[in-house]
Coordinates of all heavy atoms in Angstrom, one line a residue:
M1 N 128.7 37.3 -9.9 CA 128.4 37.1 -11.3 C 127.0 37.7 -11.6 O 126.1 37.5 -10.9 CB 128.4 35.6 -11.7 CG 128.8 35.4 -13.1 SD 128.9 33.6 -13.4 CE 127.3 33.3 -14.2
K2 N 127.0 38.4 -12.7 CA 125.7 39.1 -13.2 C 124.8 38.0 -13.7 O 125.2 37.1 -14.5 CB 126.0 40.1 -14.2 CG 125.0 41.1 -14.4 CD 125.3 42.2 -15.5 CE 124.2 42.2 -16.5 NZ 124.6 42.4 -17.8
K3 N 123.6 38.1 -13.3 CA 122.6 37.2 -13.7 C 122.0 37.6 -15.1 O 121.5 38.7 -15.2 CB 121.4 37.1 -12.7 CG 120.6 35.8 -12.9 CD 119.6 35.7 -11.7 CE 118.7 34.5 -12.0 NZ 117.6 34.5 -11.0
V4 N 122.1 36.8 -16.1 CA 121.6 37.1 -17.4 C 120.2 36.8 -17.5 O 119.8 35.6 -17.3 CB 122.4 36.4 -18.5 CG1 121.9 36.9 -19.9 CG2 123.9 36.7 -18.4
L5 N 119.3 37.7 -17.9 CA 117.9 37.5 -18.0 C 117.6 37.3 -19.5 O 118.1 37.8 -20.4 CB 117.1 38.6 -17.5 CG 117.2 38.8 -15.9 CD1 116.5 40.1 -15.5 CD2 116.7 37.6 -15.2
R6 N 116.6 36.4 -19.7 CA 116.1 36.1 -21.0 C 114.6 36.6 -21.1 O 114.0 36.7 -20.1 CB 116.1 34.6 -21.3 CG 117.3 33.9 -20.7 CD 118.5 34.0 -21.6 NE 119.7 33.7 -20.8 CZ 120.9 33.5 -21.3 NH1 121.1 33.5 -22.6 NH2 121.9 33.2 -20.5
R7 N 114.2 36.7 -22.3 CA 112.8 37.1 -22.5 C 112.1 36.2 -23.5 O 112.6 35.9 -24.6 CB 112.8 38.6 -23.0 CG 111.5 39.2 -23.1 CD 111.6 40.5 -23.9 NE 112.5 41.5 -23.3 CZ 112.1 42.4 -22.5 NH1 110.9 42.6 -22.1 NH2 113.0 43.2 -22.0
C8 N 110.9 35.8 -23.1 CA 110.1 35.0 -24.1 C 109.8 35.8 -25.3 O 109.3 36.9 -25.3 CB 108.8 34.5 -23.4 SG 107.7 33.6 -24.5
V9 N 110.0 35.1 -26.4 CA 109.8 35.8 -27.7 C 108.4 36.1 -28.0 O 108.0 36.9 -28.8 CB 110.5 34.9 -28.8 CG1 109.6 33.7 -29.2 CG2 110.7 35.7 -30.1
Y10 N 107.5 35.4 -27.3 CA 106.0 35.6 -27.5 C 105.4 36.5 -26.5 O 105.0 37.6 -26.7 CB 105.3 34.3 -27.6 CG 103.8 34.5 -27.6 CD1 103.2 35.2 -28.7 CD2 102.9 34.2 -26.6 CE1 101.9 35.5 -28.8 CE2 101.6 34.4 -26.6 CZ 101.1 35.1 -27.7 OH 99.7 35.4 -27.7
C11 N 105.4 36.1 -25.2 CA 104.7 36.8 -24.2 C 105.6 37.9 -23.5 O 105.1 38.7 -22.7 CB 104.1 35.9 -23.1 SG 105.3 35.2 -22.0
K12 N 106.9 37.9 -23.8 CA 107.8 38.9 -23.3 C 108.1 38.8 -21.8 O 108.7 39.7 -21.2 CB 107.3 40.4 -23.5 CG 107.0 40.7 -25.0 CD 108.2 40.5 -25.9 CE 107.8 40.9 -27.3 NZ 108.8 40.3 -28.3
K13 N 107.7 37.7 -21.2 CA 108.0 37.4 -19.8 C 109.6 37.3 -19.7 O 110.2 36.7 -20.5 CB 107.4 36.1 -19.3 CG 107.4 36.0 -17.8 CD 107.0 34.5 -17.4 CE 108.2 33.6 -17.3 NZ 107.9 32.3 -16.7
V14 N 110.1 37.9 -18.6 CA 111.5 37.9 -18.4 C 111.8 36.9 -17.2 O 111.1 36.8 -16.2 CB 112.0 39.3 -18.0 CG1 113.5 39.3 -17.6 CG2 111.8 40.2 -19.2
G15 N 112.9 36.2 -17.3 CA 113.3 35.3 -16.3 C 114.7 34.7 -16.5 O 115.4 35.1 -17.5
S16 N 115.1 33.8 -15.7 CA 116.4 33.2 -15.9 C 116.3 32.1 -16.9 O 115.2 31.6 -17.2 CB 116.9 32.6 -14.5 OG 116.0 31.7 -14.0
K17 N 117.5 31.7 -17.4 CA 117.5 30.8 -18.6 C 116.8 29.5 -18.4 O 116.2 28.9 -19.3 CB 118.9 30.6 -19.1 CG 119.8 29.8 -18.2 CD 121.2 29.6 -18.9 CE 122.1 28.7 -18.1 NZ 123.4 28.6 -18.6
D18 N 116.8 29.0 -17.2 CA 116.1 27.7 -16.9 C 114.6 27.8 -17.0 O 113.9 26.7 -17.0 CB 116.6 27.1 -15.6 CG 116.3 28.0 -14.4 OD1 116.6 29.2 -14.6 OD2 115.9 27.6 -13.4
E19 N 114.1 28.9 -17.2 CA 112.6 29.1 -17.3 C 112.2 29.0 -18.8 O 111.0 29.1 -19.1 CB 112.1 30.4 -16.7 CG 112.3 30.5 -15.2 CD 111.9 31.9 -14.7 OE1 110.7 32.3 -14.9 OE2 112.7 32.5 -14.1
F20 N 113.1 28.9 -19.7 CA 112.8 29.0 -21.1 C 113.4 27.9 -21.9 O 114.4 27.3 -21.5 CB 113.3 30.3 -21.7 CG 112.7 31.5 -21.0 CD1 113.5 32.3 -20.1 CD2 111.4 31.9 -21.3 CE1 112.9 33.4 -19.4 CE2 110.9 33.0 -20.6 CZ 111.6 33.8 -19.7
L21 N 112.8 27.7 -23.0 CA 113.4 26.8 -24.1 C 114.2 27.7 -25.0 O 113.8 28.8 -25.3 CB 112.3 26.1 -24.8 CG 111.3 25.2 -23.9 CD1 110.0 25.0 -24.7 CD2 112.0 23.9 -23.5
R22 N 115.2 27.1 -25.6 CA 116.1 27.9 -26.4 C 116.2 27.3 -27.8 O 116.4 26.2 -28.0 CB 117.5 28.0 -25.8 CG 118.5 28.8 -26.7 CD 119.8 28.8 -26.0 NE 120.8 29.7 -26.6 CZ 121.9 29.4 -27.2 NH1 122.4 28.2 -27.1 NH2 122.7 30.3 -27.7
I23 N 116.0 28.2 -28.8 CA 116.3 27.9 -30.2 C 117.4 28.8 -30.7 O 117.4 30.0 -30.5 CB 115.0 28.0 -31.1 CG1 114.0 27.0 -30.7 CG2 115.4 27.9 -32.6 CD1 112.7 27.1 -31.4
V24 N 118.4 28.1 -31.4 CA 119.5 28.9 -31.8 C 119.8 28.8 -33.3 O 119.5 27.7 -33.9 CB 120.8 28.4 -31.0 CG1 121.1 27.0 -31.2 CG2 122.0 29.3 -31.3
R25 N 120.2 29.9 -33.9 CA 120.6 29.8 -35.3 C 122.2 29.9 -35.3 O 122.8 30.9 -34.9 CB 120.1 31.0 -36.1 CG 120.5 31.0 -37.5 CD 119.7 31.9 -38.4 NE 119.8 33.3 -38.0 CZ 120.7 34.1 -38.6 NH1 121.5 33.7 -39.5 NH2 120.7 35.4 -38.2
L26 N 122.8 28.9 -35.9 CA 124.2 28.8 -36.0 C 124.7 29.7 -37.1 O 124.0 30.1 -38.0 CB 124.7 27.3 -36.2 CG 124.1 26.3 -35.2 CD1 124.7 24.9 -35.5 CD2 124.5 26.7 -33.8
K27 N 126.0 29.9 -37.1 CA 126.6 30.7 -38.1 C 126.4 30.2 -39.5 O 126.3 30.9 -40.5 CB 128.2 30.8 -37.9 CG 128.5 32.1 -37.1 CD 130.0 32.4 -37.3 CE 130.3 33.8 -36.7 NZ 131.5 33.8 -35.9
N28 N 126.4 28.8 -39.6 CA 126.2 28.2 -40.9 C 124.7 28.2 -41.3 O 124.4 27.7 -42.4 CB 126.7 26.8 -40.9 CG 126.0 25.8 -40.0 OD1 124.9 26.2 -39.5 ND2 126.5 24.7 -39.7
G29 N 123.8 28.8 -40.5 CA 122.4 28.9 -40.9 C 121.5 27.8 -40.3 O 120.3 28.0 -40.4
N30 N 122.1 26.8 -39.8 CA 121.3 25.8 -39.2 C 120.5 26.3 -38.0 O 121.1 27.1 -37.2 CB 122.2 24.6 -38.7 CG 122.6 23.7 -39.8 OD1 122.1 23.8 -41.0 ND2 123.4 22.7 -39.5
I31 N 119.3 25.9 -37.8 CA 118.5 26.3 -36.7 C 118.1 25.1 -35.9 O 117.7 24.1 -36.4 CB 117.2 27.0 -37.2 CG1 117.6 28.3 -37.9 CG2 116.2 27.3 -36.0 CD1 116.4 28.9 -38.7
L32 N 118.4 25.1 -34.6 CA 118.1 23.9 -33.8 C 117.7 24.3 -32.4 O 117.9 25.4 -31.9 CB 119.3 23.0 -33.8 CG 120.7 23.6 -33.7 CD1 121.2 23.5 -32.2 CD2 121.7 22.8 -34.5
F33 N 117.1 23.3 -31.8 CA 116.7 23.3 -30.4 C 117.9 23.0 -29.5 O 118.5 22.0 -29.7 CB 115.6 22.3 -30.1 CG 115.1 22.2 -28.7 CD1 115.0 23.3 -27.9 CD2 114.9 21.0 -28.1 CE1 114.6 23.3 -26.6 CE2 114.5 20.9 -26.8 CZ 114.4 22.0 -26.0
D34 N 118.3 23.9 -28.7 CA 119.5 23.8 -27.9 C 119.2 24.2 -26.5 O 119.5 25.3 -26.1 CB 120.7 24.6 -28.5 CG 121.9 24.6 -27.6 OD1 122.1 23.6 -27.0 OD2 122.6 25.6 -27.6
N35 N 118.7 23.3 -25.7 CA 118.4 23.6 -24.4 C 119.6 23.5 -23.4 O 119.5 23.9 -22.3 CB 117.2 22.7 -23.9 CG 116.2 23.6 -23.1 OD1 116.1 24.8 -23.4 ND2 115.5 23.0 -22.2
E36 N 120.7 23.0 -23.9 CA 121.8 22.9 -23.0 C 122.9 24.0 -23.2 O 123.9 23.9 -22.7 CB 122.5 21.5 -23.2 CG 121.8 20.5 -22.3 CD 121.4 19.3 -23.1 OE1 122.2 18.7 -23.9 OE2 120.2 18.9 -23.0
Y37 N 122.5 25.0 -24.0 CA 123.4 26.1 -24.2 C 124.8 25.6 -24.7 O 125.8 26.1 -24.3 CB 123.5 26.9 -23.0 CG 122.2 27.6 -22.7 CD1 121.2 26.9 -22.1 CD2 122.0 29.0 -23.0 CE1 120.0 27.6 -21.8 CE2 120.8 29.6 -22.8 CZ 119.8 28.9 -22.2 OH 118.6 29.5 -21.9
K38 N 124.8 24.7 -25.7 CA 126.0 24.1 -26.2 C 126.5 25.0 -27.4 O 127.7 25.0 -27.7 CB 125.8 22.7 -26.7 CG 125.8 21.7 -25.6 CD 125.9 20.3 -26.2 CE 124.5 19.9 -26.7 NZ 124.4 18.4 -27.0
Y39 N 125.6 25.7 -28.0 CA 126.0 26.4 -29.3 C 125.9 27.9 -29.1 O 125.1 28.4 -28.4 CB 125.1 25.9 -30.4 CG 125.1 24.5 -30.7 CD1 124.2 23.6 -30.1 CD2 126.1 24.0 -31.5 CE1 124.2 22.2 -30.4 CE2 126.2 22.6 -31.7 CZ 125.3 21.7 -31.2 OH 125.3 20.4 -31.4
F40 N 126.8 28.5 -29.9 CA 126.7 30.0 -30.0 C 125.9 30.4 -31.2 O 125.9 29.7 -32.2 CB 128.1 30.6 -30.1 CG 128.9 30.4 -28.8 CD1 129.9 29.5 -28.8 CD2 128.7 31.2 -27.7 CE1 130.7 29.3 -27.6 CE2 129.4 31.1 -26.6 CZ 130.4 30.1 -26.5
G41 N 125.2 31.5 -31.1 CA 124.5 32.0 -32.2 C 123.3 32.8 -31.7 O 123.1 32.9 -30.5
R42 N 122.7 33.5 -32.7 CA 121.5 34.2 -32.3 C 120.4 33.3 -31.8 O 120.1 32.3 -32.4 CB 121.0 35.0 -33.5 CG 119.8 35.8 -33.3 CD 119.5 36.8 -34.4 NE 120.4 37.9 -34.5 CZ 120.2 39.0 -33.7 NH1 119.2 39.1 -32.9 NH2 121.1 40.0 -33.9
S43 N 119.8 33.6 -30.7 CA 118.8 32.7 -30.2 C 117.5 33.3 -29.7 O 117.5 34.5 -29.5 CB 119.4 31.9 -29.0 OG 120.2 32.7 -28.2
V44 N 116.5 32.5 -29.6 CA 115.2 33.0 -29.1 C 114.9 32.1 -27.9 O 115.3 30.9 -27.8 CB 114.1 32.9 -30.1 CG1 114.3 34.0 -31.2 CG2 113.9 31.6 -30.7
Y45 N 114.1 32.6 -27.0 CA 113.7 31.9 -25.8 C 112.2 31.9 -25.8 O 111.5 32.8 -26.1 CB 114.2 32.6 -24.6 CG 115.7 32.7 -24.6 CD1 116.4 33.8 -25.2 CD2 116.5 31.6 -24.2 CE1 117.8 33.9 -25.3 CE2 117.9 31.7 -24.3 CZ 118.5 32.8 -24.8 OH 119.9 32.8 -24.9
I46 N 111.7 30.8 -25.3 CA 110.2 30.6 -25.3 C 109.9 29.9 -23.9 O 110.6 29.0 -23.5 CB 109.7 29.6 -26.4 CG1 110.2 30.2 -27.8 CG2 108.2 29.5 -26.4 CD1 110.1 29.1 -28.9
C47 N 108.8 30.4 -23.3 CA 108.4 29.9 -22.0 C 108.1 28.4 -22.2 O 107.7 27.9 -23.2 CB 107.1 30.5 -21.5 SG 107.2 32.2 -21.2
K48 N 108.2 27.7 -21.1 CA 107.9 26.3 -21.1 C 106.4 26.0 -21.0 O 105.9 25.4 -20.0 CB 108.6 25.6 -19.9 CG 110.1 25.6 -20.2 CD 110.9 24.9 -19.1 CE 112.4 24.8 -19.4 NZ 113.2 24.3 -18.3
N49 N 105.6 26.5 -21.9 CA 104.2 26.2 -21.9 C 103.7 26.2 -23.4 O 104.3 26.8 -24.3 CB 103.4 27.1 -21.1 CG 103.3 28.5 -21.6 OD1 102.8 28.8 -22.7 ND2 103.8 29.5 -20.8
K50 N 102.7 25.4 -23.6 CA 102.2 25.2 -25.0 C 101.7 26.4 -25.6 O 101.9 26.6 -26.8 CB 101.1 24.1 -25.0 CG 101.7 22.7 -25.0 CD 100.7 21.7 -25.3 CE 101.3 20.3 -25.2 NZ 100.3 19.2 -25.2
N51 N 101.1 27.3 -24.9 CA 100.6 28.5 -25.4 C 101.7 29.4 -26.1 O 101.6 29.8 -27.2 CB 99.9 29.3 -24.3 CG 99.2 30.5 -24.9 OD1 98.5 30.5 -25.9 ND2 99.4 31.7 -24.2
C52 N 102.7 29.5 -25.3 CA 103.9 30.3 -25.9 C 104.5 29.6 -27.0 O 104.9 30.3 -28.0 CB 104.9 30.7 -24.8 SG 104.3 32.0 -23.7
I53 N 104.7 28.3 -26.9 CA 105.3 27.6 -28.0 C 104.5 27.7 -29.3 O 105.0 28.1 -30.3 CB 105.5 26.1 -27.7 CG1 106.5 25.9 -26.5 CG2 106.0 25.3 -28.9 CD1 106.6 24.5 -26.0
N54 N 103.2 27.4 -29.2 CA 102.3 27.5 -30.4 C 102.3 28.9 -31.0 O 102.4 29.0 -32.2 CB 100.9 27.0 -30.0 CG 100.8 25.6 -29.8 OD1 101.5 24.8 -30.4 ND2 99.9 25.1 -28.9
N55 N 102.1 29.9 -30.1 CA 102.1 31.3 -30.7 C 103.4 31.7 -31.3 O 103.4 32.4 -32.2 CB 101.6 32.2 -29.6 CG 100.1 32.1 -29.4 OD1 99.3 32.4 -30.3 ND2 99.7 31.7 -28.3
A56 N 104.5 31.3 -30.6 CA 105.8 31.7 -31.1 C 106.0 31.2 -32.5 O 106.5 31.9 -33.4 CB 106.9 31.2 -30.2
F57 N 105.5 30.0 -32.8 CA 105.6 29.4 -34.1 C 104.6 30.0 -35.1 O 104.9 30.4 -36.2 CB 105.6 27.9 -34.1 CG 106.9 27.3 -33.7 CD1 107.1 27.0 -32.4 CD2 107.8 27.0 -34.6 CE1 108.3 26.4 -32.0 CE2 109.1 26.5 -34.3 CZ 109.3 26.2 -32.9
S58 N 103.4 30.0 -34.7 CA 102.3 30.5 -35.6 C 102.4 31.9 -35.9 O 102.0 32.4 -37.0 CB 100.9 30.1 -35.1 OG 100.6 30.8 -33.9
K59 N 102.9 32.7 -35.0 CA 103.0 34.2 -35.3 C 104.3 34.6 -35.8 O 104.7 35.8 -35.7 CB 102.6 35.0 -34.0 CG 101.1 34.7 -33.6 CD 100.8 35.6 -32.4 CE 99.4 35.1 -31.8 NZ 98.3 35.2 -32.7
K60 N 105.1 33.7 -36.3 CA 106.4 34.0 -36.9 C 107.4 34.7 -35.9 O 108.2 35.5 -36.4 CB 106.2 34.8 -38.2 CG 105.6 33.9 -39.2 CD 105.9 34.4 -40.6 CE 105.6 33.4 -41.7 NZ 106.6 33.0 -42.6
K61 N 107.2 34.5 -34.6 CA 108.1 35.1 -33.7 C 109.5 34.5 -33.7 O 110.5 35.2 -33.4 CB 107.6 35.0 -32.3 CG 106.2 35.6 -32.0 CD 106.3 37.0 -31.9 CE 105.0 37.6 -31.7 NZ 105.0 39.1 -31.7
I62 N 109.6 33.3 -34.1 CA 110.9 32.6 -34.2 C 111.7 33.2 -35.3 O 112.9 33.6 -35.1 CB 110.7 31.1 -34.5 CG1 109.7 30.5 -33.6 CG2 112.1 30.4 -34.5 CD1 110.1 30.2 -32.2
E63 N 111.1 33.4 -36.5 CA 111.8 34.0 -37.6 C 112.3 35.4 -37.2 O 113.4 35.8 -37.5 CB 110.8 34.1 -38.8 CG 110.6 32.8 -39.5 CD 109.3 32.1 -39.0 OE1 109.0 32.3 -37.8 OE2 108.7 31.4 -39.8
K64 N 111.4 36.2 -36.6 CA 111.8 37.6 -36.3 C 112.9 37.6 -35.3 O 113.9 38.3 -35.4 CB 110.6 38.3 -35.6 CG 110.0 39.4 -36.5 CD 108.9 40.1 -35.8 CE 107.8 40.4 -36.8 NZ 106.5 40.7 -36.1
G65 N 112.8 36.7 -34.3 CA 113.9 36.6 -33.2 C 115.2 36.2 -33.8 O 116.2 36.7 -33.4
L66 N 115.2 35.3 -34.8 CA 116.4 34.8 -35.3 C 116.9 35.6 -36.6 O 117.9 35.3 -37.1 CB 116.3 33.3 -35.8 CG 116.0 32.3 -34.6 CD1 115.8 30.9 -35.2 CD2 117.1 32.3 -33.6
K67 N 116.1 36.6 -36.9 CA 116.3 37.5 -38.1 C 116.5 36.6 -39.3 O 117.5 36.8 -40.1 CB 117.5 38.4 -37.8 CG 117.3 39.3 -36.7 CD 118.3 40.5 -36.7 CE 118.2 41.4 -35.5 NZ 116.9 42.1 -35.3
V68 N 115.6 35.8 -39.6 CA 115.6 35.1 -40.9 C 114.2 35.3 -41.5 O 113.2 35.6 -40.8 CB 115.8 33.5 -40.7 CG1 117.2 33.2 -40.2 CG2 114.7 32.9 -39.8
T69 N 114.1 35.3 -42.8 CA 112.9 35.6 -43.5 C 111.9 34.4 -43.5 O 110.7 34.5 -43.4 CB 113.1 36.1 -44.9 OG1 114.0 35.2 -45.6 CG2 113.7 37.5 -44.9
N70 N 112.5 33.2 -43.5 CA 111.7 32.0 -43.6 C 112.3 30.8 -43.0 O 113.5 30.6 -43.2 CB 111.3 31.8 -45.1 CG 110.3 30.7 -45.2 OD1 109.3 30.7 -44.5 ND2 110.5 29.7 -46.1
I71 N 111.5 30.0 -42.3 CA 112.0 28.7 -41.8 C 111.1 27.7 -42.5 O 109.9 27.8 -42.5 CB 111.9 28.6 -40.3 CG1 112.7 29.7 -39.6 CG2 112.4 27.2 -39.8 CD1 112.6 29.8 -38.1
P72 N 111.8 26.7 -43.2 CA 111.0 25.6 -43.8 C 109.9 25.0 -42.9 O 110.3 24.8 -41.7 CB 112.0 24.6 -44.3 CG 113.3 25.3 -44.3 CD 113.2 26.4 -43.2
Q73 N 108.7 24.8 -43.4 CA 107.7 24.3 -42.6 C 108.0 23.0 -41.8 O 107.7 22.8 -40.7 CB 106.4 24.1 -43.5 CG 105.1 23.9 -42.7 CD 104.8 25.1 -41.7 OE1 105.1 26.2 -42.0 NE2 104.3 24.7 -40.6
D74 N 108.7 22.1 -42.5 CA 109.0 20.8 -41.8 C 110.0 21.0 -40.7 O 109.9 20.3 -39.7 CB 109.5 19.7 -42.9 CG 110.7 20.2 -43.7 OD1 111.0 21.4 -43.7 OD2 111.4 19.4 -44.3
L75 N 110.9 22.0 -40.9 CA 111.9 22.2 -39.8 C 111.1 22.9 -38.6 O 111.3 22.5 -37.4 CB 113.0 23.2 -40.2 CG 114.0 23.7 -39.2 CD1 114.7 22.5 -38.5 CD2 115.0 24.6 -39.8
K76 N 110.2 23.7 -38.9 CA 109.4 24.3 -37.8 C 108.6 23.3 -37.1 O 108.6 23.3 -35.8 CB 108.4 25.4 -38.4 CG 109.1 26.7 -38.7 CD 108.2 27.7 -39.4 CE 107.2 28.4 -38.5 NZ 106.6 29.6 -39.1
E77 N 108.0 22.4 -37.8 CA 107.2 21.3 -37.1 C 108.1 20.5 -36.2 O 107.7 20.2 -35.1 CB 106.6 20.4 -38.2 CG 105.4 21.0 -39.0 CD 104.2 21.3 -38.0 OE1 103.9 20.5 -37.2 OE2 103.6 22.4 -38.2
N78 N 109.3 20.2 -36.8 CA 110.2 19.4 -36.0 C 110.7 20.1 -34.7 O 110.7 19.5 -33.7 CB 111.4 19.2 -37.0 CG 112.4 18.2 -36.4 OD1 113.1 18.5 -35.5 ND2 112.4 17.0 -37.0
L79 N 111.0 21.3 -34.8 CA 111.4 22.1 -33.6 C 110.3 22.2 -32.6 O 110.5 22.0 -31.4 CB 111.8 23.5 -34.1 CG 113.1 23.7 -34.8 CD1 113.3 25.1 -35.4 CD2 114.3 23.4 -33.8
K80 N 109.1 22.5 -33.1 CA 107.9 22.6 -32.3 C 107.7 21.3 -31.5 O 107.4 21.3 -30.3 CB 106.7 23.0 -33.1 CG 105.6 23.5 -32.3 CD 104.5 24.1 -33.2 CE 103.1 23.7 -32.8 NZ 102.1 24.3 -33.7
N81 N 107.7 20.2 -32.2 CA 107.5 18.9 -31.6 C 108.6 18.7 -30.5 O 108.2 18.1 -29.4 CB 107.6 17.8 -32.6 CG 106.4 17.8 -33.5 OD1 105.3 18.4 -33.1 ND2 106.5 17.2 -34.7
K82 N 109.8 19.0 -30.8 CA 110.9 18.8 -29.8 C 110.6 19.7 -28.5 O 110.8 19.2 -27.4 CB 112.2 19.2 -30.4 CG 112.8 18.1 -31.2 CD 114.2 18.4 -31.6 CE 114.8 17.4 -32.6 NZ 115.8 17.9 -33.4
L83 N 110.2 20.9 -28.7 CA 109.9 21.8 -27.6 C 108.7 21.2 -26.8 O 108.8 21.2 -25.5 CB 109.5 23.2 -28.1 CG 110.6 24.2 -28.1 CD1 111.8 23.8 -28.9 CD2 110.1 25.5 -28.7
I84 N 107.7 20.7 -27.4 CA 106.6 20.2 -26.7 C 106.9 18.9 -26.0 O 106.5 18.7 -24.8 CB 105.4 20.0 -27.7 CG1 104.8 21.4 -28.0 CG2 104.3 19.2 -27.1 CD1 103.8 21.5 -29.1
E85 N 107.7 18.1 -26.6 CA 108.2 16.9 -26.0 C 109.0 17.2 -24.7 O 108.8 16.6 -23.7 CB 109.2 16.1 -26.9 CG 108.5 15.0 -27.6 CD 109.5 14.4 -28.7 OE1 110.7 14.3 -28.3 OE2 109.1 14.1 -29.8
N86 N 109.8 18.2 -24.8 CA 110.6 18.7 -23.7 C 109.8 19.1 -22.5 O 110.0 18.7 -21.4 CB 111.5 19.8 -24.1 CG 112.5 20.2 -23.0 OD1 112.1 20.9 -22.1 ND2 113.7 19.7 -23.1
I87 N 108.7 19.9 -22.8 CA 107.9 20.4 -21.6 C 107.1 19.2 -21.1 O 106.8 19.2 -19.9 CB 107.0 21.6 -21.9 CG1 106.0 21.3 -23.0 CG2 107.9 22.8 -22.3 CD1 104.9 22.4 -23.1
E88 N 106.7 18.3 -21.9 CA 105.9 17.1 -21.4 C 106.8 16.3 -20.5 O 106.3 15.8 -19.5 CB 105.3 16.4 -22.6 CG 104.1 17.1 -23.1 CD 103.5 16.5 -24.3 OE1 104.1 15.6 -25.0 OE2 102.4 17.0 -24.7
E89 N 108.1 16.2 -20.8 CA 109.0 15.4 -20.0 C 109.1 16.1 -18.6 O 109.1 15.5 -17.6 CB 110.4 15.4 -20.6 CG 110.5 14.2 -21.6 CD 111.8 14.3 -22.4 OE1 112.8 14.9 -21.9 OE2 111.9 13.8 -23.5
V90 N 109.2 17.4 -18.6 CA 109.3 18.2 -17.4 C 108.0 17.9 -16.5 O 108.1 17.7 -15.3 CB 109.4 19.7 -17.6 CG1 109.3 20.5 -16.4 CG2 110.8 19.9 -18.3
I91 N 106.9 18.0 -17.2 CA 105.6 17.8 -16.5 C 105.6 16.3 -15.9 O 105.2 16.2 -14.7 CB 104.4 18.0 -17.4 CG1 104.3 19.5 -17.8 CG2 103.1 17.5 -16.8 CD1 103.4 19.8 -19.0
N92 N 106.0 15.4 -16.7 CA 106.0 14.0 -16.2 C 106.9 13.8 -15.0 O 106.6 13.0 -14.1 CB 106.4 13.0 -17.3 CG 105.3 12.9 -18.3 OD1 104.2 13.2 -18.0 ND2 105.7 12.5 -19.5
E93 N 108.1 14.5 -15.0 CA 109.0 14.4 -13.9 C 108.4 14.9 -12.6 O 108.7 14.5 -11.5 CB 110.3 15.1 -14.2 CG 111.2 14.3 -15.1 CD 112.4 15.1 -15.6 OE1 112.6 16.2 -15.1 OE2 113.0 14.7 -16.6
K94 N 107.5 15.9 -12.7 CA 106.9 16.5 -11.5 C 105.9 15.6 -10.9 O 105.6 15.7 -9.7 CB 106.3 17.9 -11.9 CG 107.4 18.9 -12.0 CD 106.7 20.3 -12.3 CE 107.8 21.4 -12.5 NZ 107.3 22.5 -13.2
I95 N 105.3 14.7 -11.7 CA 104.2 13.9 -11.1 C 104.7 12.8 -10.3 O 105.8 12.2 -10.5 CB 103.4 13.3 -12.3 CG1 102.6 14.4 -13.0 CG2 102.3 12.3 -11.8 CD1 102.0 14.1 -14.4
Ligands
ZN101 ZN1 106.1 33.2 -22.9

């Protein structure tokens, strides 16, 4: 089976899907954090670190990657918090 590589929307690092967090835009326009690859749609990948998460959001990389002109600020905050919570859980599991 061919290994599918993903690329971080901010730093452009390439790797396998478990190295990244995924945000997906569904056909109906909903944008959500989908780390379990449950949904189909245009998606962006972000490294599991705060630097990439913060820059991906502040530099509008998410909008570009999902090909939308604007994401409401509260939705962005919500997504960003979920991503950060997710990486903090990973860090805690390692300790
Ligand atoms: Zn990155």
